[in-house]
Amino acid sequence: MSQTDKVLYTGRTHTTGGRDGAARSSDGRLEVNLTSPGAPGAGTNPEQLFAAGWSACFIGAIGLAARERKVAVPAETAVDAEVDLRHGERGYFLQARLNVALPGLDRDIARALVDAAHQTCPYSKATRGNIEVEINLV
């Protein structure tokens, strides 16, 4: 980390029981039960949490790209994130698809916003080169 970098926020959670446990944030705003994908019970799983976080962050990055280009982001903007838990020769790994809807925008402008967002979104940066990612404009 560079000397000029500054921490803007630190998310803190406490998790017990792994995929069949519970997680809660230090500020009490998040409290979830966890279940393995496909298992019975009320709870979410790490893949769903990752998809929700990435899609929310990606919409924020689209907003940043739009402001830089003086383009209004449609109110109906949405990202449907799909995070796959896979198993193969490499062991367990993830792959993802972000299906981005920017209704009413010219397709070339929408594509430019999505491409710029993928370059600036911290989740996109964290996954770049580590997992297969598809960014689809729908």
Side-chain angles (χ1 to χ4, degrees):
M1 187 180 316
S2 151
Q3 292 293 334
T4 59
D5 291 347
K6 65 179 180 177
V7 175
L8 298 177
Y9 176 77
T10 301
R12 291 182 176 86
T13 61
H14 178 78
T15 303
T16 57
R19 285 184 172 271
D20 296 306
R24 63 180 161 78
S25 62
S26 61
D27 63 6
R29 292 182 177 197
L30 174 73
E31 193 164 329
V32 295
N33 291 322
L34 302 167
T35 56
S36 294
T44 188
N45 59 65
E47 292 73 28
Q48 289 173 329
L49 293 169
F50 188 67
W54 193 354
S55 56
C57 187
F58 202 84
I59 290 172
I62 289 170
L64 177 64
R67 281 189 299 281
E68 289 173 352
R69 290 162 177 76
K70 296 180 178 24
V71 173
V73 176
E76 303 83 19
T77 295
V79 174
D80 292 325
E82 301 172 355
V83 175
D84 301 323
L85 174 62
R86 303 207 41 188
H87 185 263
E89 292 178 7
R90 301 181 294 171
Y92 291 98
F93 60 99
L94 300 175
Q95 72 179 27
R97 288 164 307 287
L98 299 182
N99 301 305
V100 183
L102 291 163
L105 278 187
D106 174 83
R107 190 154 184 87
D108 290 338
I109 292 170
R111 174 49 60 191
L113 295 179
V114 167
D115 290 346
H118 192 45
Q119 294 305 307
T120 60
C121 173
Y123 281 74
S124 292
K125 288 180 180 182
T127 59
R128 188 168 291 117
N130 295 310
I131 70 172
E132 288 183 34
V133 176
E134 270 182 46
I135 309 291
N136 302 306
L137 186 58
V138 295

